[in-house]
Amino acid sequence: MSAAPLAYGIHLSSINARFWGEAAELADRLGFESVWMPEHVIVPLDATGSPHQGAEHSPIPSNIPVLDAMAVLGHLAARTSRVRLGTHVYNIGLRHPVLTARGAATVDFLSGGRLDLGIGASWLRSEWEALGLDFDTRGRRVDESIEVCRRLWTEDVVEHHGEFFDLPPTAFEPKPVQQPLALHIGGDGPAALRRAATVGTGWMPMNHSLEQLPASIARIGELAAAAGRTTPVQITLTGDVADEADVERYVAAGVTRVLVQPWRNSREALDGLRRFAERFLPDAAAA
């Protein structure tokens, strides 16, 4: 089979965390482009709502095991050599940006520049309130957090006095290996499109159908051109790939990376990765 014009990543959300290391190692050997993990800080018992349109209740139970994203990615970095390592998505507004910048720079440094930091404004009001933060100002807080992080990752000395954060003049080392560090913006609204166009390596829509994507991608292009950007924006979508017709539909819609989960449960994950690689990754190693 000829090489598909798509990058394929795997999403670990439906695999028991005990198997994440083994799955990442196998994905690395088989030629998958990236491995992505879910992220939350805390899910209160009274959590309501959903990131998915049409869903009335939170799909996340309060007792779901939650691991620290940067610690996990550092662990996966040590177990892999090539595959990129991502968050889908990291709730950047829930932390002080210095802590986000430090964790992300650490993972990128230790992995040799393989971090894909997917970030979002988040949707779970009770998570923000449990951490003593104002959910209704999260957009401005996210924008300021991104600004502070990007400056810490690139400038020799940073001083910042904003709406939410104040930093005295400070140095920040080491810098990420990637310059700029890859930011993938999660979300579907105007603010997410603006961030993707201006500061994002890529965009990760959450509630777009394939038919809806071209219009939003065109809007990102308009915003990017207005900002003087000349580099393309990667488009990452979670979905299923069963045959060449699926591949063609993703490509026609403007998708550049598909995050797949070719298994029904954790025990089937490794075999599912091998089957997918045999069909869609022509250079897959026998593993």
Side-chain angles (χ1 to χ4, degrees), residues 19 40 54 56 59 72 95 99 105 113 133 146 151 161 171 199 227 273:
F19 305 115
H40 271 281
E56 297 180 357
V72 170
R95 287 93 163 174
L99 298 180
L133 299 173
I146 293 172
R151 293 188 63 198
H161 305 288
V199 301
L273 289 175

Side-chain angles (χ1 to χ4, degrees), residues 49-272:
S50 172
H52 306 296
Q53 292 176 354
E56 297 180 357
H57 302 290
S58 170
I60 308 172
S62 183
N63 64 350
I64 189 171
V66 174
L67 300 180
D68 180 81
M70 298 307 174
V72 170
L73 293 182
H75 172 72
L76 298 183
R79 298 184 64 161
T80 58
S81 61
R82 180 202 54 79
V83 71
R84 296 190 62 81
L85 306 167
T87 52
H88 188 275
V89 293
Y90 187 84
N91 296 300
I92 190 172
L94 296 178
R95 287 93 163 174
H96 194 287
V98 169
L99 298 180
T100 297
R102 183 66 69 197
T106 298
V107 172
D108 200 61
F109 179 83
L110 294 176
S111 67
R114 290 189 282 137
L115 176 62
D116 280 313
L117 186 60
I119 59 174
S122 74
W123 57 273
L124 186 54
R125 176 181 289 271
S126 62
E127 185 172 23
W128 280 70
E129 293 173 347
L131 297 174
L133 299 173
D134 179 15
F135 183 77
D136 295 322
T137 59
R138 69 192 185 282
R140 299 200 305 274
R141 187 180 180 95
V142 164
D143 284 334
E144 189 173 338
S145 294
I146 293 172
E147 177 189 355
V148 173
C149 284
R150 294 181 78 222
R151 293 188 63 198
L152 290 169
W153 291 329
T154 58
E155 298 179 17
D156 291 335
V157 176
V158 176
E159 180 176 0
H160 176 86
H161 305 288
E163 180 181 1
F164 300 100
F165 309 107
D166 277 284
L167 285 181
T170 183
F172 183 93
E173 295 292 341
K175 304 299 186 192
V177 174
Q178 297 179 88
Q179 290 294 331
L181 190 143
L183 291 177
H184 296 262
I185 309 300
D188 301 276
L193 300 187
R194 168 181 55 79
R195 294 179 188 119
T198 55
V199 301
T201 299
W203 176 47
M204 310 180 82
M206 311 295 285
N207 288 295
H208 272 63
S209 67
L210 283 181
E211 292 73 23
Q212 293 170 323
L213 277 179
S216 293
I217 293 172
R219 178 56 179 159
I220 290 175
E222 294 170 357
L223 294 169
R229 176 175 181 164
T230 58
T231 56
V233 177
Q234 299 173 17
I235 309 299
T236 300
L237 195 69
T238 300
D240 297 319
V241 178
D243 51 36
E244 281 294 338
D246 287 337
V247 174
E248 293 171 2
R249 282 192 290 270
Y250 285 117
V251 172
V255 176
T256 51
R257 176 188 293 108
V258 181
L259 307 187
V260 297
Q261 299 176 88
W263 53 77
R264 291 178 297 179
N265 55 57
S266 297
R267 290 187 176 86
E268 296 180 357
L270 300 184
D271 285 339

Side-chain angles (χ1 to χ4, degrees), residues 6-30:
L6 282 175
Y8 295 109
I10 65 168
H11 203 296
L12 298 174
S13 59
S14 62
I15 304 178
N16 189 295
R18 291 176 297 176
F19 305 115
W20 284 3
E22 192 173 1
E25 285 182 357
L26 182 57
D28 192 44
R29 294 199 302 271
L30 290 173

Side-chain angles (χ1 to χ4, degrees), residues 32-46:
F32 284 88
E33 181 260 353
S34 50
V35 173
W36 301 74
M37 64 170 289
E39 199 279 326
H40 271 281
V41 179
I42 190 170
V43 182
L45 282 168
D46 63 354

